[in-house]
Amino acid sequence: MKKRGLSPAIARSSAIALIVVVVLAVVIGLTYYYTSLPPPLKGTIKIGLMTSLTGAGSASGLDQQRAAMLAVEEINAAGGIFLSKEGGRFNLTLVVADDQSSTSGGVSAMTKLVVQDQVDIVIGGLGSAFALAALPVVIQNKIPYIATPSTPQLTRMANYSADPTKYMVFHYQATGLQYGQAIADFLAQVVRPSVAPTRNLTVAWLYQDSAFGRDFFTGYVQRVAQKGYPLTLVASEKFKIGETDFRAVLTKIKALGPDVLIPMGFTSEAINMIKQAVNEVQIKAQIGPICACNDDPSFYKNVGPAGNGVTIVSLYATYAIPKGDQFKKWQEIRQKFQQRYNTLPGLLGVSAYDAVYIAAKAFEAAGTKDKAAVIQALQGLSMPQLTLPVQGGTLRFDPQFREVQWLLFAQQFYWNASLGEVRAKVIWPSDVAEASFSPIS
């Protein structure tokens, strides 16, 4: 009996079908493999950081350098930045220039970054005077700059009106005007009711003779006049950048008997002013609010018991965490920083960390390294807030001044003998506070 089987034609058809299936499977597999690969790495984006690594601002400058490097490492580890118009991924490279805590150093540092190193964007900055001195280099070369010093003159004119010639500068820091206004609010709403409830609170200012110091003072004076606050200014003394001996001017202020002394300077300057006021001149006054730039681990470590009771208005805290969802990311960056550098970041470090991520977002949105396109992307930026808290939780630069609307708060330092350092508690405004203001006796 003959065995029945497939006809030769059917057998050939089955074989062909099998081959087609195999080929299709291979094609589909290879297609999936290659389309799932990350886009090719095509180059680097140079992020220029101008900061103070030597001189009076060196403590905060090192903080900025560390924080910016941490952000660059994180972004590169996640695959870098995809630029759609360039057809590939780009890693970030951090290029740092030291402004030496001086105006001449600021010009040299910015020139090095923009002309010699040919960075694609500049971030950072500590001293307002140093950044202002370097600003003509930015304007002339039309390079995007995410600035972190406090002076509003980085995006405004000297009279604080809008300056369209600085369209490439985006201000990622509360301005001196904003800080000065908040200091006035805090003194009127919190300190006066506790210290001078039946009369005007008397206030003495001792501030750095620079754009930074003048902006804080101007913001304060304008706010007092605008609100009609019962705050009387009894002294407004200035000092040069880098000053170390304040005893003579503090003695002069002591004779006026102010309720409040506001020592406004960089971290090293503030520490010297506070120590000399308390330990040597023995001024009996509430001290602060001091500059937000002093919210740095070096201040906590070095101010000593003289820092007990001092207040500060800021938008970041080295140790404390205000109440509210907008501050939940702080613990994460502290842990990262501690693991990487065995220390914690300060305000200016966090500002630089965020600035790197803002720059990355702008390059991604622009899809190219073209400077004009990146500037346009920054102008239209709208993204969830990063580390620093902004009003409404959405980060954007306003179209007139290219500034951010921040959530500012006040803390009060207290001496922790077991740690041998000061710590701080949030005391204002009430919706984020964890403690109440305690007057210095």
Side-chain angles (χ1 to χ4, degrees), residues 50-52 57 64 99 101-103 106-107 110 124-136 145 147-155 160 166 171 173-177 179 208-216 241 264 266 291 293 348:
M50 187 182 86
T51 193
S52 303
Q64 285 204 316
D99 63 28
S101 301
S102 69
T103 54
V107 176
M110 189 65 77
L126 171 61
S128 295
F130 320 148
L132 285 177
L135 204 54
Y145 177 28
T148 57
S150 63
T151 181
Q153 295 176 58
L154 286 166
T155 59
Y160 302 123
K166 301 172 181 175
H171 205 169
Q173 180 61 258
T175 69
L177 294 179
Y179 279 127
Q208 189 187 94
D209 189 10
S210 66
F212 148 61
R214 290 189 294 270
D215 293 333
F216 272 71
I241 296 174
M264 191 59 60
F266 296 155
C291 175
C293 59
L348 287 162

Side-chain angles (χ1 to χ4, degrees), residues 66 106 144 210 252 260 265:
R66 287 170 167 169
S210 66
K252 179 180 176 182
V260 176

Side-chain angles (χ1 to χ4, degrees), residues 314-372:
S314 184
L315 65 158
Y316 180 75
T318 301
Y319 293 101
I321 297 182
K323 294 188 297 185
D325 292 340
Q326 287 187 267
F327 309 95
K328 287 185 175 180
K329 290 184 178 180
W330 289 11
Q331 195 59 40
E332 179 183 349
I333 190 173
R334 290 174 185 175
Q335 291 173 351
K336 292 177 181 178
F337 219 80
Q338 186 70 46
Q339 292 172 359
R340 180 71 170 80
Y341 301 113
N342 197 32
T343 188
L344 294 175
L347 166 64
L348 287 162
V350 172
S351 301
Y353 177 88
D354 282 2
V356 173
Y357 274 93
I358 294 170
K361 183 70 173 179
F363 278 103
E364 183 181 53
T368 174
K369 290 168 52 173
D370 178 73
K371 293 179 177 60

Side-chain angles (χ1 to χ4, degrees), residues 73-360:
E73 290 172 350
E74 290 176 353
I75 292 170
N76 288 344
I81 309 299
F82 177 69
L83 301 185
S84 58
K85 296 176 183 177
E86 311 256 352
R89 293 180 299 116
F90 287 72
N91 275 341
L92 303 183
T93 298
L94 184 68
V95 183
V96 184
D98 177 16
D99 63 28
Q100 303 170 44
S101 301
S102 69
T103 54
S104 60
V107 176
S108 298
M110 189 65 77
T111 302
K112 174 185 178 298
L113 290 173
V114 176
V115 178
Q116 179 180 328
D117 299 321
Q118 296 188 333
V119 299
D120 299 297
I121 191 171
V122 179
I123 66 166
L126 171 61
S128 295
F130 320 148
L132 285 177
L135 204 54
V137 180
V138 174
I139 295 172
Q140 180 180 353
N141 290 275
K142 299 179 176 60
I143 187 167
Y145 177 28
I146 303 173
T148 57
S150 63
T151 181
Q153 295 176 58
L154 286 166
T155 59
R156 304 186 187 205
M157 300 183 75
N159 64 1
Y160 302 123
S161 61
D163 189 344
T165 69
K166 301 172 181 175
Y167 67 90
M168 72 294 293
V169 184
F170 299 84
H171 205 169
Y172 193 71
Q173 180 61 258
T175 69
L177 294 179
Q178 292 170 327
Y179 279 127
Q181 293 164 2
I183 288 171
D185 292 341
F186 171 72
L187 291 181
Q189 297 171 18
V190 177
V191 178
R192 178 182 171 268
S194 296
V195 175
T198 61
R199 58 174 175 81
N200 280 17
L201 188 76
T202 55
V203 181
W205 275 73
L206 177 54
Y207 62 95
Q208 189 187 94
D209 189 10
S210 66
F212 148 61
R214 290 189 294 270
D215 293 333
F216 272 71
F217 182 68
T218 299
Y220 170 84
V221 171
Q222 290 179 346
R223 188 67 156 191
V224 172
Q226 175 193 21
K227 293 289 188 178
Y229 283 146
L231 308 176
T232 299
L233 184 67
V234 296
S236 56
E237 301 288 344
K238 306 172 187 177
F239 62 87
K240 294 181 179 180
I241 296 174
E243 183 63 72
T244 58
D245 189 347
F246 302 93
R247 288 172 293 184
V249 68
L250 286 170
T251 300
K252 179 180 176 182
I253 290 173
K254 178 183 178 180
L256 300 172
D259 297 312
V260 176
L261 168 65
I262 299 179
M264 191 59 60
F266 296 155
T267 301
S268 60
E269 297 164 342
I271 289 172
N272 283 327
M273 284 188 281
I274 292 168
K275 283 186 171 181
Q276 291 168 24
V278 174
N279 299 334
E280 299 184 55
V281 181
Q282 298 182 342
I283 289 180
K284 303 298 182 184
Q286 312 302 312
I287 298 180
I290 59 175
C291 175
C293 59
N294 300 148
D295 211 314
D296 182 274
S298 62
F299 179 87
Y300 288 79
K301 180 179 179 180
N302 296 317
V303 72
N308 188 62
V310 172
T311 57
I312 183 172
V313 167
S314 184
L315 65 158
Y316 180 75
T318 301
Y319 293 101
I321 297 182
K323 294 188 297 185
D325 292 340
Q326 287 187 267
F327 309 95
K328 287 185 175 180
K329 290 184 178 180
W330 289 11
Q331 195 59 40
E332 179 183 349
I333 190 173
R334 290 174 185 175
Q335 291 173 351
K336 292 177 181 178
F337 219 80
Q338 186 70 46
Q339 292 172 359
R340 180 71 170 80
Y341 301 113
N342 197 32
T343 188
L344 294 175
L347 166 64
L348 287 162
V350 172
S351 301
Y353 177 88
D354 282 2
V356 173
Y357 274 93
I358 294 170

